[in-house]
Amino acid sequence: MSFRRVNIVILVLAVALFLLVLHHNLLGLSSLLRNEITDSGIVGFQPIDFVPNALRHAIDGREEEIPVVIAASEDRLGGAIAAINSIQHNTHSNVIFYIVTLNNTADHLRSWLNSDSLKSIRYKIVNFDPKLLEGKLKEDPDQGESMKPLTFARFYLPILVPSAKKAIYMDDDVIVQGDILALYNTPLKPGHAAAFSEDCDSASTKVIIRGAGNQYNYIGYLDYKKERIRKLSMKASTCSFNPGVFVANLTEWKRQNITNQLEKWMKLNVEEGLYSRTLAGSITTPPLLIVFYQQHSTIDPMWNVRHLGSSAGKRYSPQFVKAAKLLHWNGHFKPWGRTASYTDVWEKWYIPDPTGKFNLIRRYTEISNIK
């Protein structure tokens, strides 16, 4: 009889121990799932520092915060600084900049942002871990700039700005001449996670890249000879869009798992080579075109007047450039270089690097050096 009691006691203790372990594991799983949403470190992002106070003007606590995400690489840091400065000086809205960079650039960026002209800016520096892209990129020496890790920060907006419902992303080669609030207030249709500027719009020149098809349609970015692309039933003549400036509905982005969808197509491209061999633009564009096919809203084309970084930019009149809300030097020629169009407009917003590491390349500098 006592032997049976001992067995019962052991059984009860075993069940209690099992339930305790199960409870602990469930708590751990719950914590992990929660961290995947709120802790950016889980997926390769770590906040470095945050400046909460704007000194330039008092901010009404009831005013909506406008998150602006911009990537800042070491060799293009002056571009990001000029873009940020132009945004800040053309708005009275409550803007906070989420500046995505690599660890070795953070100190340089921080010292630049401490310049007197930039002290009123509210910002958060976020470190991007390139390991996040392992298995998702196909090495291509012809892609150059667009293969750099920070180019893909735009794919991870909800992780960069976890508490926001809406955000703006923009490249570092832009200047904003309008009030960013107007862009932020772009209406997005129900079910749409983002609004882009289409390449067929009337404000930007239609540019034809030799050997790459038309830069303003899907066939310029995707290889329609591949069965997986054909199965998507996307018209090759569909107008493409430019991902250098867009407004995102982050609630909808998360609901549709946009980031996971983008990563899926990146991996499939590594395995099957789905992008056009003569890619008409950035390597970030093809997965976005697939995921947002006929499922995106549009921004006012004057909020992404582009091609200033190509020969097409020279076709714009000074009056048109002045009227643009946002100027975009996409293309090979950047405004901190020597051959881009309207560099004087960009230079108005540039603030010299206090460390002296970043310098503009100008023709007159070369001439003076020769003399």
Side-chain angles (χ1 to χ4, degrees), residues 54-288:
L55 304 177
R56 189 167 66 91
H57 59 278
I59 292 176
D60 187 339
R62 296 168 297 175
E63 188 180 355
E64 186 174 3
E65 191 175 84
I66 300 178
V68 175
V69 178
I70 187 167
S73 62
E74 182 69 27
D75 58 332
R76 299 163 61 107
L77 206 52
I81 292 293
I84 290 169
N85 190 36
S86 69
I87 294 168
Q88 182 74 358
H89 278 81
N90 284 302
T91 189
H92 292 289
S93 297
N94 181 11
V95 178
I96 177 167
F97 296 94
Y98 289 79
I99 311 171
V100 190
T101 191
L102 302 177
N103 252 335
N104 56 6
T105 301
D107 288 340
H108 186 189
L109 174 60
R110 194 179 296 111
S111 64
W112 212 330
L113 290 169
N114 283 334
S115 302
D116 289 340
S117 303
L118 298 168
K119 282 187 176 177
S120 64
I121 288 172
R122 302 173 71 232
Y123 66 89
K124 184 174 186 176
I125 300 177
V126 185
N127 176 56
F128 184 91
D129 186 354
K131 291 180 181 178
L132 185 63
L133 301 173
E134 288 180 359
K136 304 182 185 80
L137 290 182
K138 194 173 187 178
E139 290 299 326
D140 185 351
D142 294 333
Q143 282 301 310
E145 287 289 333
S146 66
M147 287 294 289
K148 293 187 176 180
L150 291 175
T151 307
F152 300 91
R154 72 196 82 193
F155 289 2
Y156 300 93
L157 291 183
I159 302 162
L160 288 166
V161 197
S163 59
K165 296 179 180 178
K166 194 175 181 182
I168 295 171
Y169 171 85
M170 58 181 58
D171 284 343
D172 57 9
D173 52 357
V174 307
I175 286 298
V176 173
Q177 300 184 133
D179 188 337
I180 199 72
L181 179 63
L183 178 61
Y184 184 75
N185 285 336
T186 298
L188 273 71
K189 294 178 181 177
H192 287 183
F196 302 91
S197 175
E198 295 194 345
D199 289 325
C200 304
D201 64 46
S202 59
S204 293
T205 308
K206 296 176 180 179
V207 181
I208 296 179
I209 304 297
R210 289 180 183 175
N214 293 329
Q215 190 179 353
Y216 54 90
N217 61 27
Y218 271 47
I219 201 170
Y221 293 90
L222 299 166
D223 187 351
Y224 274 78
K225 294 178 182 177
K226 297 296 171 68
E227 184 180 3
R228 191 178 292 276
I229 294 298
R230 292 199 306 271
K231 281 184 175 180
L232 294 172
S233 299
M234 301 183 301
K235 289 184 179 179
S237 60
T238 302
C239 183
S240 57
F241 53 77
N242 181 276
V245 179
F246 64 90
V247 181
N249 177 335
L250 300 182
T251 302
E252 196 64 38
W253 189 294
K254 286 183 278 190
R255 191 186 70 79
Q256 297 182 31
N257 292 317
I258 297 293
T259 296
N260 289 341
Q261 290 189 58
L262 292 169
E263 289 185 323
K264 166 194 165 183
W265 287 106
M266 289 172 72
K267 291 174 184 175
L268 285 172
N269 178 62
V270 171
E271 297 167 6
E272 303 176 26
L274 302 177
Y275 305 166
S276 171
R277 291 183 181 180
T278 49
L279 198 61
S282 170
I283 198 171
T284 60
T285 306
L288 286 164

